[in-house]
Amino acid sequence: MSTLTKGKDFLSIDDCSSEQFLGLLSLAEQLKTGKRTASLRGKVLGLVFLKASTRTRVSFTVAMYQLGGQVIDLSPSNTQVGRGEPVRDTARILSRYVNALAIRTFAQAEIEEYAQYATIPVINALTDLEHPCQILADLLTVQEAFGDLAGRKLAYIGDGNNVAHSLLLGCAKAGVSVAIATPTGFAPDPAIVARAEEIAAQTGSNVIITTDPHEAVADADALYTDVWASMGQEEESISRQTLFRDFQINSTLLKQAKPNAIVLHCLPAHREEEITNEVIEGPQSWVWQQAENRLHVQKAVLASLA
Ligand code: CP
Ligand code: NVA
């Protein structure tokens, strides 16, 4: 089974091939169902989180504990990072103490700098550009719901953000067609769209970028949304509530997808904004399985890299 290469970084979905992406999903499924085991005994993961986190922080921590490893919380408020010690120095020092770093920050350039200077694997635990570990859990959930991935269609409704970017790349790698519907001016990064189109051409899937949520959800097997204003965009959250009003997953939009479509959300959710309470609590919601799958894919990522 081809997964991630030991010792390498995982900064973007595009750091793995289609084969490695599907291999990670397979390893996660086998670890989840007990068909396979892995050991990280004696290994230590450092968590450098410059933004809040429940799922990512806890799933990485529990994944390490359950595989026999340990975790050290390197929050900037407790380290010299918070007092401005340069990334290149921090990365080289931490490499001499821990076996891998999971980093949540703002600029992709910052995590790339960590990776450049660290001699241990650096894992993207969310940046403004991407959220690769999330998308592994998302596609594992789609695979569990339908038994397969190739030929499925996922529709993402909302902001063309980090989650949308990783979904574009991840769906394309998995042969899942992806439609992204955003308000005008909030489309995903054109360079990522172009790269997703390139990958999709190889895997026989489609990439659709639109401002029409109805077009996006037609024939979709999975509907996905995320907050309208991401961490770091708090000052825009009020203005975005008006701009994004028509980009809500509600029961009317859900009826326009396939009858057995599942609903996904990376969480945390803002009920009655990007998703209604009725839909997130409804029978088509797979958001809790999706959140659980964060644990299983983190194990697959850690066991491959560390
Ligand atoms: N989905 C996700 O990454 O959640 P957290 O911000 O709680 O880690
Ligand atoms: N797009 C969201 C995802 C949170 C898990 C954010 O960056 O805040």
Side-chain angles (χ1 to χ4, degrees):
M1 184 191 306
S2 164
T3 57
L4 296 169
T5 310
K6 207 155 277 301
K8 295 274 188 206
D9 304 308
F10 186 46
L11 307 184
S12 162
I13 291 282
D14 212 15
D15 286 340
C16 57
S17 65
S18 286
E19 198 188 18
Q20 288 175 313
F21 185 88
L22 295 172
L24 277 172
L25 296 188
S26 173
L27 176 57
E29 187 273 330
Q30 292 180 22
L31 290 167
K32 179 175 180 176
T33 55
K35 285 183 215 130
R36 238 178 117 124
T37 55
S39 173
L40 289 173
R41 199 156 165 259
K43 306 267 173 150
V44 180
L45 172 71
L47 298 179
V48 182
F49 277 45
L50 283 80
K51 293 174 174 171
S53 171
T54 298
R55 279 144 289 268
T56 310
R57 178 190 294 279
V58 178
S59 59
F60 266 119
T61 303
V62 174
M64 282 302 287
Y65 290 169
Q66 291 185 350
L67 296 182
Q70 290 175 300
V71 176
I72 181 161
D73 185 358
L74 302 165
S75 296
S77 55
N78 297 330
T79 66
Q80 301 285 10
V81 169
R83 295 179 59 245
E85 185 165 16
V87 163
R88 61 184 183 276
D89 293 0
T90 307
R92 284 178 288 191
I93 302 306
L94 293 178
S95 297
R96 290 165 185 261
Y97 300 141
V98 302
N99 303 97
L101 287 173
I103 301 179
R104 170 169 287 200
T105 192
F106 295 86
Q108 186 76 9
E110 186 179 327
I111 204 167
E112 283 169 1
E113 192 179 356
Y114 267 102
Q116 186 188 339
Y117 286 95
T119 54
I120 53 172
V122 174
I123 301 165
N124 183 346
L126 182 147
T127 60
D128 291 346
L129 192 71
E130 276 209 54
H131 196 3
C133 299
Q134 174 70 52
I135 272 54
L136 287 165
D138 303 340
L139 288 171
L140 179 60
T141 311
V142 175
Q143 186 168 277
E144 285 176 344
F146 299 106
D148 55 38
L149 283 175
R152 299 279 165 193
K153 178 185 174 187
L154 182 145
Y156 172 94
I157 311 299
D159 184 28
N161 61 16
N162 43 11
V163 169
H165 290 155
S166 293
L167 274 173
L168 275 163
L169 296 169
C171 287
K173 299 242 175 201
V176 171
S177 290
V178 57
I180 307 276
T182 71
T184 304
F186 295 91
D189 182 333
I192 293 189
V193 174
R195 177 66 188 134
E197 284 170 343
E198 197 176 29
I199 302 162
Q202 290 158 15
T203 61
S205 53
N206 296 311
V207 174
I208 299 160
I209 307 295
T210 177
T211 53
D212 180 359
H214 308 284
E215 180 196 346
V217 302
D219 290 323
D221 298 285
L223 264 52
Y224 196 122
T225 190
D226 181 16
V227 290
W228 290 337
S230 287
M231 290 181 276
Q233 299 173 328
E234 286 78 7
E235 75 290 352
E236 291 179 42
S237 62
I238 300 292
S239 60
R240 284 182 179 227
Q241 282 177 21
T242 314
L243 293 166
F244 282 75
R245 204 177 34 211
D246 298 331
F247 293 80
Q248 180 190 64
I249 297 191
N250 51 39
S251 56
T252 309
L253 197 66
L254 181 54
K255 282 196 194 91
Q256 294 167 26
K258 282 193 184 156
N260 62 343
I262 64 167
V263 175
L264 301 173
H265 191 310
C266 58
L267 303 176
H270 291 172
R271 285 169 166 79
E272 307 311 325
E273 290 186 22
E274 75 275 1
I275 193 162
T276 59
N277 186 62
E278 183 188 9
V279 168
I280 198 169
E281 298 291 351
Q284 288 170 270
S285 171
W286 277 62
V287 301
W288 317 118
Q289 293 93 327
Q290 180 188 9
E292 180 191 323
N293 282 336
R294 299 295 309 277
L295 172 65
H296 307 297
V297 301
Q298 314 300 35
K299 284 185 185 171
V301 169
L302 290 165
S304 315
L305 294 178

